[in-house]
Amino acid sequence: MLILNKFRAFLGVLLCIIASFCPMLKVPIKGNWNLYQSDARLFIITYAIIAIAVLFLFIRKAGAFRFISFVMAIWYILAVIAVYFTANNYTKYGFANKLIGKVVHFQWGWIVFLVGVLFMLFSTKRGEKITNQTIGQIVK
């Protein structure tokens, strides 16, 4: 039986929502970009996963929430890799790619996003199912 720590789960979801609006990339001329400005598809897919996670929280499906937390962790890794490769392969010219890769920097929004994903991941744990026998053993 899975036990869901709702405080950790809601805190993780809230941090993931907040992280999407935090600065994710520092672009020299344009300033800081959040997830939507760096790639709109990443933003929409991230919010779709968060919406599904919130749905599973409200209908109290701990197993499904655990699964969507693993999906969110994999999505976080893929998003970091996608943004990194997009910044380093922005044009078809090698010199320009190296230059853009050196001036575009990751910001602290990725750390907030990671902490939210970790809270979601560690909000479920395996527990012992309480039955009438176990209650009787506890009482004795």
Side-chain angles (χ1 to χ4, degrees):
M1 181 173 147
L2 287 175
I3 298 173
L4 179 65
N5 186 335
K6 291 179 187 171
F7 177 73
R8 281 188 202 157
F10 279 118
L11 185 62
V13 167
L14 183 65
L15 283 174
C16 287
I17 291 170
I18 291 171
S20 298
F21 296 105
C22 293
M24 296 285 197
L25 293 174
K26 183 175 183 175
V27 181
I29 297 172
K30 295 191 177 189
N32 293 328
W33 284 2
N34 59 21
L35 192 59
Y36 179 74
Q37 291 168 325
S38 62
D39 192 355
R41 287 175 287 182
L42 285 176
F43 180 80
I44 291 169
I45 294 171
T46 302
Y47 267 86
I49 294 172
I50 291 171
I52 293 169
V54 169
L55 174 70
F56 289 145
L57 268 176
F58 281 121
I59 62 173
R60 295 183 180 147
K61 296 289 184 184
F65 182 79
R66 186 176 193 186
F67 174 74
I68 206 72
S69 297
F70 283 117
V71 169
M72 188 65 156
I74 293 168
W75 181 249
Y76 172 79
I77 293 168
L78 289 175
V80 169
I81 291 170
V83 170
Y84 175 79
F85 281 120
T86 301
N88 287 322
N89 295 320
Y90 196 69
T91 65
K92 48 185 166 177
Y93 304 109
F95 173 73
N97 286 336
K98 288 179 185 176
L99 183 64
I100 291 171
K102 290 184 191 268
V103 297
V104 174
H105 300 288
F106 283 86
Q107 290 290 322
W108 55 272
W110 290 105
I111 296 171
V112 176
F113 195 24
L114 176 65
V115 171
V117 169
L118 290 176
F119 268 110
M120 286 176 65
L121 274 175
F122 294 116
S123 64
T124 57
K125 66 178 182 178
R126 292 236 176 252
E128 188 176 307
K129 189 172 184 178
I130 297 177
T131 61
N132 288 338
Q133 272 186 331
T134 19
I135 294 173
Q137 291 173 355
I138 293 172
V139 172
K140 289 181 185 179

